[in-house]
Amino acid sequence: MKKNTQNLLLGGAAFTAVAANAILLIANNLKASNQTSPSTISASAGSESTPTTSSETSQTGSESSSTTGLKNGTYTGAVTATDRGDYQVQITVANGQISTIDVLEYPTENARSQQINADALPVYTKEAISKQSADVQLISGASEAFKGFTGSLQDAINQANA
């Protein structure tokens, strides 16, 4: 009986440690989510993503195209509506290439959307700059972010091509 009591006590301590770690992870995720929810997600060629702030409205959808020979300037893509919410990006073109992509608008209504966008949008942004195209790889679980990001990005690219 003594051995069973010791195992129960040790098991309880292990459970308490696991629960404490889970609470810390949740708290850290909420803190991280709160940092990105009111901000934009942006990246420049050769840099990591850093948050800034902005917003606007409209709607679009079109085929992906390459960006060789774009006109220098800043172009704001139309707002692209998805089942999860609206997305809008802005590109800066320098020397005929996309140098910066800022995600101006994205859904932040719930923790799940915040987490998906915090994970996926920096990846989509970095890949789009690298490929100089809206033709980025879909991330599993982030299909609405993909639709919104690529739709608005393609509209901005089309403006820079015009």
Side-chain angles (χ1 to χ4, degrees):
M1 182 71 154
K2 190 174 185 178
K3 188 174 184 179
N4 287 339
T5 304
Q6 288 174 338
N7 287 342
L8 182 60
L9 289 174
L10 289 174
F15 176 76
T16 302
V18 169
N21 282 337
I23 290 169
L24 288 173
L25 286 172
I26 291 169
N28 286 338
N29 282 340
L30 287 174
K31 183 179 174 185
S33 294
N34 288 338
Q35 290 175 349
T36 59
S37 62
S39 304
T40 62
I41 297 173
S42 65
S44 299
S47 75
E48 293 300 315
S49 297
T50 54
T52 52
T53 310
S54 191
S55 189
E56 228 175 274
T57 58
S58 178
Q59 184 165 358
T60 191
S62 66
E63 294 287 319
S64 175
S65 68
S66 177
T67 62
T68 50
L70 297 176
K71 288 188 290 183
N72 291 343
T74 301
Y75 303 91
T76 302
V79 171
T80 301
T82 72
D83 291 341
R84 293 276 186 189
D86 295 341
Y87 289 81
Q88 184 176 37
V89 303
Q90 183 177 67
I91 64 172
T92 301
V93 178
N95 299 318
Q97 294 193 331
I98 298 172
S99 60
T100 306
I101 299 175
D102 296 313
V103 182
L104 303 177
E105 184 176 348
Y106 56 94
T108 59
E109 291 81 38
N110 61 60
R112 181 72 179 133
S113 289
Q114 290 173 9
Q115 188 62 52
I116 289 169
N117 289 318
D119 292 342
L121 292 176
V123 174
Y124 290 154
T125 300
K126 186 175 179 181
E127 185 176 349
I129 290 172
S130 174
K131 288 186 168 185
Q132 292 291 300
S133 169
D135 185 24
V136 297
Q137 184 69 39
L138 171 67
I139 296 172
S140 179
S143 59
E144 295 301 309
F146 174 84
K147 291 175 194 173
F149 177 84
T150 57
S152 185
L153 177 59
Q154 188 58 56
D155 184 65
I157 291 169
N158 290 347
Q159 292 174 41
N161 274 324

